[in-house]
Amino acid sequence: MRPPVIFVTLALIASAAHADWELILEKGAYCIASDGERLYAGTEKGIYYSRDDGDTWRLSDFTDRIGHLAASPRLAFAYSADHGILRSVTKGNTWHRINNGFDRKMDENRLYYPKLRHFLITSFGMVVAVGHQSGTWMSRNRGDRWQKASDVWKGVPLGNSIYSMGEHDGDLWGLWSIYKAFRSPDEGATWEYIPHWGDVRHIGQFALVEAWVSYRGDLYVGGRRGFGRWREETLDWEDLSQGLPKRPHLYHLVVHRDRIVGGSPYGVFMFDHHAETWYPVGLSDVSISAGGLVSHRGNLYAAAASRGHDGIYRAKRPFVSPEGKAAVTWGALKTK
């Protein structure tokens, strides 16, 4: 006799009250990153790091406002409007300015560093600092020297029009202006524009793509108007925005426990790969920052930018099966 099948329905807490969350102790957080061993948080007060998966945090030697972070097993990068690009080779304990080639500009008798939107650390060792209208810089020597991308990457008129960049299957990908995608199979030596004429569904349908993520061999993007998947066989983009709010604005995408998770102004959402739809998984009235999601040692972390709820959050329990029936609660991370 076959055993009975028991169906368990797990309630989503996306619309739950604040009782399901604890208010973060460290406010003013803008971004979060992981090098696989430590967590890094960029805040109004500087760069914090955690050696125990976010249970406690320590303030590093850099104590000014941080806008963006990126980390790899051996290096971590940060951006400060007043100090430029910083790098740590000590797991976040100490930070040093590395602005050789990332020159300051003059505006109304005031020197300032160009504004950056995000960092990309590639699998082949290139570091890209994307600034969009401020310009984009790249480095092949861990940031010891930066070069304007438009001076190095020939073949396409990139200029100051790179809005965001990602990596997929060894190729560099990017959004040029607001509607055209481009890619390079050879670390920037040559570039190819992705066609967008005729009946082809082009990347502009998602409006200002912020996020790029590789998942199960496919490339996915998230933008201000939705979420999509690249189709190599037809050279177009498939819209997979079902389940997202009407104006989703996906700031950030990560792969967590074999799921794509997205951060938006309306909280955190999870993509059900089988049903090809999205489900809310918490922090529903909290805006997740750009660069505000990271998967670290089996846990999911979010940097929230909402007034009154700003800070770093951690999912108390991992996502559970079946897909689309996820139960998540969020807890605060303590600081020292």
Side-chain angles (χ1 to χ4, degrees):
M1 181 178 178
R2 297 176 62 183
V5 178
I6 301 175
F7 293 93
V8 179
T9 301
L10 299 173
L12 291 168
I13 68 159
S15 59
H18 286 284
D20 293 311
W21 313 328
E22 298 174 65
L23 186 62
I24 192 73
L25 296 180
E26 178 56 47
K27 293 187 177 183
Y30 299 106
C31 50
I32 188 166
S34 167
D35 64 9
E37 180 182 343
R38 291 189 179 186
L39 284 167
Y40 304 87
T43 75
E44 290 180 345
K45 298 179 180 179
I47 306 171
Y48 283 83
Y49 64 92
S50 175
R51 298 179 292 189
D52 54 12
D53 302 339
D55 289 334
T56 58
W57 293 83
R58 296 177 183 271
L59 183 62
S60 72
D61 68 340
F62 186 80
T63 57
D64 205 350
R65 179 172 175 170
I66 288 295
H68 302 287
L69 283 170
S72 68
R74 290 176 295 277
L75 296 169
F77 295 90
Y79 167 75
S80 164
D82 294 328
H83 300 272
I85 301 176
L86 304 110
R87 180 181 65 195
S88 176
V89 296
T90 59
K91 295 289 184 178
N93 296 309
T94 57
W95 295 82
H96 300 280
R97 302 178 190 181
I98 50 168
N99 293 316
N100 185 9
F102 186 66
D103 301 320
R104 287 190 292 179
K105 297 182 179 181
M106 177 70 74
D107 180 21
E108 297 180 353
N109 299 319
R110 179 181 63 91
L111 283 171
Y112 68 97
Y113 285 102
K115 183 178 179 180
L116 293 183
R117 298 195 67 255
H118 70 89
F119 289 105
L120 171 65
I121 303 175
T122 70
S123 62
F124 46 85
M126 181 187 293
V127 185
V128 184
V130 179
H132 188 36
Q133 295 178 352
S134 299
T136 293
W137 290 260
M138 54 80 65
S139 175
R140 295 184 181 273
N141 51 17
R142 311 192 319 163
D144 288 340
R145 177 167 179 78
W146 300 93
Q147 296 175 286
K148 259 300 193 57
S150 55
D151 296 335
V152 180
W153 294 339
K154 307 298 182 182
V156 288
L158 297 175
N160 293 346
S161 295
I162 301 175
Y163 188 77
S164 65
M165 292 196 70
E167 183 184 0
H168 170 65
D169 197 25
D171 290 355
L172 280 173
W173 283 76
L175 181 70
W176 182 77
S177 188
I178 63 173
Y179 63 90
K180 188 179 294 186
F182 60 91
R183 63 180 172 184
S184 172
D186 47 20
E187 303 181 15
T190 59
W191 294 90
E192 169 194 16
Y193 278 130
I194 304 302
H196 63 277
W197 52 81
D199 296 328
V200 171
R201 297 169 295 183
H202 60 84
I203 199 168
Q205 67 185 303
F206 309 115
L208 292 177
V209 164
E210 304 267 359
W212 308 73
V213 66
S214 292
Y215 176 68
R216 298 186 179 183
D218 290 319
L219 173 64
Y220 294 82
V221 295
R224 295 192 180 185
R225 294 182 183 171
F227 171 79
R229 176 172 56 207
W230 169 246
R231 295 170 55 87
E232 186 70 36
E233 63 274 15
T234 56
L235 297 179
D236 68 356
W237 299 87
E238 183 180 11
D239 191 338
L240 300 173
S241 303
Q242 181 178 336
L244 290 171
K246 185 176 181 180
R247 295 180 180 272
H249 202 155
L250 289 174
Y251 287 118
H252 201 70
L253 296 171
V254 297
V255 176
H256 173 68
R257 291 181 173 267
D258 200 32
R259 309 283 178 86
I260 295 179
V261 182
S264 80
Y266 316 102
V268 183
F269 290 78
M270 182 191 71
F271 183 63
D272 183 331
H273 181 76
H274 299 294
E276 294 196 335
T277 190
W278 288 85
Y279 295 91
V281 288
L283 299 179
S284 59
D285 57 354
V286 174
S287 179
I288 307 303
S289 308
L293 280 179
V294 69
S295 180
H296 172 81
R297 290 184 170 181
N299 292 319
L300 181 68
Y301 300 80
S306 294
R307 181 175 298 179
H309 306 300
D310 53 327
I312 304 296
Y313 291 84
R314 176 178 60 189
K316 283 187 175 180
R317 296 195 299 272
F319 298 134
V320 293
S321 295
E323 289 192 353
K325 302 294 183 180
V328 181
T329 57
W330 296 82
L333 306 183
K334 299 178 181 179
T335 63
K336 284 188 176 181

